[in-house]
Amino acid sequence: MSALSDRPTNPVVGESLPHEAASLHVTGQALYTDDLVGRLPGTLHAHPVQAPHAHARVTRLDVSAAYDVPGVVRVLTADDVPGVNDAGIKHDEPLFPSEVMYYGHSVCWVLGETLEAARLGSLAVEVDYEPLPALVTVKDAIAADSFQGGQPRMERGDIDAGFEAATHVFSGEFEFAGQEHFYLETHCSLAQVDENGQVFVQCSTQHPTETQDIVAHVLGTPSHAVTVQCLRMGGGFGGKEMQPHGYAAIAALGATLTGRPVRLRLTRNQDITMSGKRHGFHAQWRVGFDDTGHLVALDATLTADGGWSLDLSEPVLARALCHIDNAYWIPNVRVNGRIAKSHKTSQTAFRGFGGPQGMLVIEDILGRCAPLLGLDPIDLRRRNFYVHGQATPYGQPVRHPERAVTCWEQVLTTGDVAARQAEIAAYNSIHEHSKRALAMTPVKFGISFNLTAFNQAGALVHVYKDGSVLINHGGTEMGQGLHTKMLQVAATALGVPLSMVRLAPTRTDKVPNTSATAASSGADLNGGAVKNACEQITERLRSLAGERFEVAPAEVTFSDGMVSGGGESMPWAEFVNLAYFNRIQLWAAGYYRTEGLHWDSSIMQGSPFKYFAYGVAATEVEVDGFTGAYRTRRVDIVHDVGDSLSPLVDIGQVEGGFVQGAGWLTLEDLRWDESDGPNRGRLATQAASTYKLPSFSEMPEEFNVALLEQAHEDGAVYGSKAVGEPPLMLAFSVREALRQAAAAFGPAGTSIDLASPATPEAVWWAIQEARGGAEPPHMTAMVEGGTGVVPDQPGNGAHPIEPRSERAQRVSSGA
Ligand code: MTE
Ligand code: MOS
């Protein structure tokens, strides 16, 4: 056990506690950024002028008429920017663009005494556009050779030899959709300027430091003149990792120009049409199996649909490549990645950060190939698991592969899988128009930022003379329970009851140079920093206690609110007061960096992850043959969170992540107008009325979540593991169960090509395909596994699994 992972006796970590703000959340008392507006008299409201073209040049911008609208105070345009007119860190995102790059792009912003005045003002602004050709789909972009950023390749083994050795070779294509974050709180910033020109921006941001950087760039000031605070977010899910910066900069610019507070809060329609989403991907692949159903070779090209600018597309793509193996050993691999540049919102981080997209490709391949190999998908997946001693395609040894096996076996047992499969077979044999299926899928997800430098964090811990403790750390709270965990870490490290510890909002003037609260690493990184700060304090107290109790400092203990040694003890508060009078510093700045990481992005090799999080899910669905509608009858999950810091919070994360993943894969349908009409490129699903989110009616009827036991992780704070993102990918089991249920409408051995999202409509088409016979029309080429030398071109020598049938294509591309 390492010092970092070791737990003292009676730790506060590991206790099942409600989220620290749960009662505030549910009573409506929790303050979000926009709730602060009422506390600031004279606040101006910002409204964008959104362009009605997917791609166009701005040929004239005349804002004068806006000033005739009562209540309009100021219109912000590119001419107002004292610093850099850019909202990103790649400098490819003009804040006030002269070329419109997506439908709804804001060309300028109007500030009004009321939001309504600003809205009316925005309607009065005159803009002339020269429409330009727009690339709306990823296939449009590929055909036009429209790419942006680097094109990484990840390679291991000998791909040609692998295919030569393979006895079954298949190839195919797969295009799958992105996802809207749909956080309940839309993007929001509130900026003020003080008498010294110090800018204070309250912002719903996962990355206060970067928001600060961008605001400073736009204003042309040093970072010390800008402070960013985040009270909490009403959900971020990755959508507030990079996207808030431009909005914060608009608010800050408005505040500096008018001297009044400026509030910018997007309406739902604005948020959904302006902010980036999960990347949809296109994948082309060829896979080889040996006679025993083991993967021997995978050759794939992943194209992420990046939208109009780079944003986080490069690291998202890197994580996709690093997760195409999921939990499976693939000896010979070659994966190429590229980022399409299209005329859509700039796609961004979303829970899993590319990992889900990489893993979806391999899970789709296994789900499609299992019937063709004559294997049960449960068996095919299980036999390809990593074993000890193997490494990922990017060269990182896979530590603890046995945990995936333990999770798998536990789900088999507690989920009563064998008996239920027999029941399902019996049910299907007597129901012609309704079919059930059960699928199991594993998750292996790498924890840490790929870019080594981001794996650092800071904290500030104050112990006051009365013994009460105030902590501050660099992470942000978005509902995931990070603050709850940090309170537990501080209470554990100081040996005081939780009630003595309070947490102050995240601010860049308290803890500087922070990383985004992302990559699920919030608790690992900030927990390390909080613990470090607390230990600096206890180290100092230890010397005094040693003298006082006449024992060696190492023998002094801090536990349950008492400082003890040599049989004597003193209440924490009393001892702290004594320490103050002995002139001992009672506060400390903590720091943590994750050791042992290295990553070379140029060759896509290294050990970028501190450890892997594992999990397994089994999902049973029932599909109606007339409509394609389905129910999730039961879900069983065993997930590895190490020794949990906060079990209730972690179970909430597993449940929430799973449901959000199921939403992405089965319900949430982003439809962009692909027609050549005037609305080309417009997002057609821009409200909850048309963009369907999971709700109570889609919850699994039986939902069993267990945390893996005896799962101590030596490399992380108090033996825990990250939990924020990995469970999202347990939802592949839902998609695979739907695939199997659709296949059950056809003869045994039917391979199903299922669109993603697998909406009821898409499932219905899959059922029609299955009913078409053993070999659905579009799969007739794929008779038997291929052997021998396989030429390099996909589809040439391999047996192609064609892209979605025309019907499925239509399903996913209608307006
Ligand atoms: N849980 C809630 N309730 N709300 C969120 O916005 N974001 C997810 C996950 N869980 C999110 C959430 C994402 S994308 C990440 S990266 C992690 O939380 C970030 O927090 P952590 O690093 O503290 O786990
Ligand atoms: Mo999470 S997508 O890393 O913010």
Side-chain angles (χ1 to χ4, degrees):
M1 230 176 257
S2 67
L4 179 65
S5 73
D6 192 14
R7 286 188 183 188
T9 46
N10 293 339
V12 181
V13 294
E15 276 180 33
S16 275
L17 301 171
H19 188 286
E20 56 56 59
S23 62
L24 301 180
H25 291 162
V26 299
T27 56
Q29 292 179 81
L31 289 178
Y32 296 84
T33 300
D34 204 42
D35 295 321
L36 306 169
V37 172
R39 305 178 173 209
L40 285 178
T43 298
L44 297 175
H45 304 258
H47 197 284
V49 174
Q50 290 187 265
H53 297 284
H55 190 199
R57 219 180 319 277
V58 177
T59 52
R60 189 178 69 99
L61 177 66
D62 185 350
V63 304
S64 52
Y67 284 102
D68 298 336
V69 174
V72 167
V73 172
R74 179 92 197 208
V75 185
L76 303 176
T77 69
D79 295 338
D80 295 313
V81 177
V84 185
N85 178 22
D86 202 279
I89 49 161
K90 296 274 175 184
H91 290 256
D92 63 347
E93 285 181 60
L95 188 59
F96 298 97
S98 54
E99 184 180 343
V100 170
M101 295 296 284
Y102 64 96
Y103 197 105
H105 204 163
S106 58
V107 294
C108 65
W109 290 79
V110 179
L111 306 182
E113 297 285 355
T114 61
L115 187 56
E116 184 59 4
R119 188 183 73 84
L120 294 173
S122 75
L123 295 175
V125 170
E126 292 170 20
V127 196
D128 289 344
Y129 301 97
E130 177 197 337
L132 299 168
L135 302 168
V136 174
T137 66
V138 64
K139 281 194 179 141
D140 288 347
I142 293 171
D145 214 22
S146 172
F147 298 106
Q148 56 189 332
Q151 304 204 345
R153 166 180 284 199
M154 191 181 69
E155 216 166 359
R156 189 253 309 272
D158 182 336
I159 194 81
D160 297 324
F163 278 111
E164 226 161 284
T167 48
H168 304 272
V169 177
F170 307 105
S171 66
E173 232 182 281
F174 182 30
E175 191 182 332
F176 51 93
Q179 185 179 19
E180 161 60 26
H181 300 85
F182 228 107
Y183 23 60
L184 292 181
E185 179 208 24
T186 53
H187 277 289
C188 186
S189 282
L190 176 62
Q192 303 162 246
V193 184
D194 75 7
E195 79 284 4
N196 284 319
Q198 175 79 23
V199 180
F200 182 52
V201 187
Q202 309 224 50
C203 181
S204 183
T205 176
Q206 287 175 248
H207 200 345
T209 286
E210 205 169 71
T211 302
Q212 175 194 25
D213 293 345
I214 300 295
V215 168
H217 283 168
V218 171
L219 298 182
T221 59
S223 290
H224 69 206
V226 178
T227 298
V228 173
Q229 169 168 297
C230 178
L231 289 184
R232 59 164 58 78
M233 282 163 276
F237 306 113
K240 294 173 181 168
E241 191 172 334
M242 192 165 272
Q243 304 270 316
H245 312 333
Y247 307 120
I250 298 282
L253 179 63
T256 54
L257 291 175
T258 63
R260 292 171 61 176
V262 173
R263 164 232 193 188
L264 188 164
R265 185 187 67 83
L266 300 183
T267 63
R268 179 63 62 188
N269 287 134
Q270 288 163 356
D271 193 292
I272 202 167
T273 55
M274 293 166 74
S275 68
K277 317 192 180 311
R278 184 189 294 284
H279 293 70
F281 270 57
H282 174 271
Q284 183 141 32
W285 52 267
R286 192 161 55 118
V287 68
F289 296 89
D290 67 13
D291 266 335
T292 58
H294 286 96
L295 287 156
V296 285
L298 174 67
D299 189 0
T301 297
L302 305 188
T303 310
D305 188 352
W308 75 281
S309 70
L310 267 179
D311 187 276
L312 288 162
S313 296
E314 286 176 309
V316 164
L317 178 65
R319 188 166 277 267
L321 264 52
C322 288
H323 284 81
I324 198 165
D325 57 332
N326 190 10
Y328 311 112
W329 163 244
I330 315 171
N332 306 290
V333 200
R334 178 170 62 199
V335 192
N336 290 302
R338 52 191 184 171
I339 301 159
K341 181 169 175 141
S342 60
H343 296 102
K344 291 207 286 256
T345 52
S346 181
Q347 312 320 11
T348 192
F350 195 139
R351 207 169 192 170
F353 202 85
Q357 289 94 322
M359 288 156 69
L360 178 53
V361 172
I362 191 71
E363 292 302 339
D364 186 66
I365 290 173
L366 294 176
R368 288 166 80 171
C369 294
L372 305 171
L373 293 164
L375 287 171
D376 183 329
I378 289 188
D379 186 17
L380 177 63
R381 289 193 163 88
R382 174 65 187 87
R383 71 175 65 187
N384 278 290
F385 273 23
Y386 277 111
V387 298
H388 194 72
Q390 292 172 335
T392 63
Y394 47 91
Q396 172 154 1
V398 178
R399 222 169 108 249
H400 293 157
E402 70 282 357
R403 289 206 184 177
V405 178
T406 311
C407 292
W408 189 266
E409 284 169 358
Q410 195 173 324
V411 168
L412 280 172
T413 312
T414 58
D416 208 9
V417 171
R420 282 163 61 212
Q421 277 189 310
E423 274 171 33
I424 289 167
Y427 177 90
N428 289 350
S429 68
I430 54 168
H431 289 84
E432 194 187 341
H433 300 296
S434 168
K435 301 289 177 192
R436 293 180 180 169
L438 184 154
M440 278 175 71
T441 56
V443 167
K444 168 185 128 288
F445 190 79
I447 299 297
S448 297
F449 289 96
N450 264 78
L451 185 81
T452 302
F454 291 165
N455 297 291
Q456 57 174 319
L460 190 59
V461 173
H462 295 176
V463 176
Y464 291 99
K465 287 175 292 184
D466 65 353
S468 67
V469 181
L470 185 69
I471 67 169
N472 214 294
H473 63 88
T476 55
E477 176 64 42
M478 57 195 102
Q480 86 278 37
L482 178 61
H483 284 351
T484 312
K485 290 181 172 178
M486 296 304 97
L487 289 165
Q488 288 178 273
V489 166
T492 303
L494 296 173
V496 300
L498 196 65
S499 57
M500 290 199 111
V501 188
R502 201 178 169 89
L503 188 142
T506 314
R507 286 175 66 118
T508 56
D509 59 357
K510 290 281 174 58
V511 180
N513 309 330
T514 54
S515 295
T517 306
S520 305
S521 61
D524 280 11
L525 298 177
N526 297 290
V530 168
K531 183 168 184 278
N532 171 259
C534 293
E535 283 169 355
Q536 291 177 41
I537 296 166
T538 52
E539 278 316 296
R540 293 179 209 136
L541 295 177
R542 211 176 268 287
S543 324
L544 179 68
E547 284 168 32
R548 174 99 190 171
F549 300 143
E550 294 176 352
V551 291
E555 281 164 41
V556 175
T557 60
F558 300 86
S559 187
D560 297 320
M562 301 297 285
V563 182
S564 317
E568 282 187 76
S569 40
M570 205 190 252
W572 164 263
E574 210 176 301
F575 190 82
V576 159
N577 195 261
L578 181 75
Y580 170 77
F581 282 101
N582 281 275
R583 294 190 295 173
I584 287 174
Q585 187 187 343
L586 289 173
W587 49 274
Y591 181 76
Y592 174 77
R593 65 163 175 249
T594 317
E595 298 297 342
L597 308 179
H598 58 96
W599 177 241
D600 183 344
S601 62
S602 65
I603 50 167
M604 296 292 287
Q605 290 290 317
S607 280
F609 304 125
K610 185 68 184 176
Y611 55 83
F612 296 102
Y614 295 98
V616 168
T619 296
E620 182 183 337
V621 297
E622 182 178 309
V623 171
D624 174 53
F626 294 111
T627 61
Y630 44 79
R631 297 157 48 201
T632 305
R633 285 171 46 81
R634 176 167 168 181
V635 174
D636 292 86
I637 289 172
V638 175
H639 193 80
D640 167 22
V641 298
D643 289 340
S644 175
L645 289 178
S646 201
L648 219 70
V649 165
D650 283 349
I651 286 174
Q653 285 290 293
V654 175
E655 291 173 346
F658 176 86
V659 170
Q660 195 166 38
W664 170 47
L665 294 167
T666 67
L667 288 174
E668 301 179 35
D669 208 353
L670 285 169
R671 300 223 181 171
W672 311 81
D673 190 327
E674 294 170 14
S675 75
D676 287 327
N679 286 334
R680 181 171 171 77
R682 178 178 175 272
L683 182 63
T685 46
Q686 43 175 280
S689 54
T690 45
Y691 186 79
K692 185 156 171 49
L693 297 164
S695 57
F696 285 118
S697 49
E698 281 79 28
M699 287 304 117
E701 288 160 27
E702 187 179 341
F703 199 179
N704 304 311
V705 175
L707 303 178
L708 183 70
E709 284 173 18
Q710 294 175 329
H712 185 84
E713 169 52 52
D714 205 40
V717 63
Y718 291 127
S720 65
K721 277 190 183 183
V723 69
E725 296 164 289
L728 180 130
M729 289 148 271
L730 295 167
F732 293 131
S733 57
V734 183
R735 183 167 186 274
E736 293 307 312
L738 290 172
R739 184 203 305 279
Q740 291 167 215
F745 286 92
T750 301
S751 169
I752 288 289
D753 172 7
L754 186 61
S756 185
T759 57
E761 189 182 353
V763 171
W764 189 81
W765 284 115
I767 294 168
Q768 301 319 300
E769 233 173 62
R771 282 176 173 152
E775 290 164 19
H778 70 288
M779 285 190 192
T780 43
M782 189 174 40
V783 189
E784 246 287 83
T787 48
V789 183
V790 178
D792 214 36
Q793 289 300 311
N796 186 2
H799 295 289
I801 300 179
E802 289 293 325
R804 295 180 203 161
S805 67
E806 262 189 53
R807 290 177 318 234
Q809 289 274 343
R810 261 210 331 265
V811 167
S812 66
S813 65

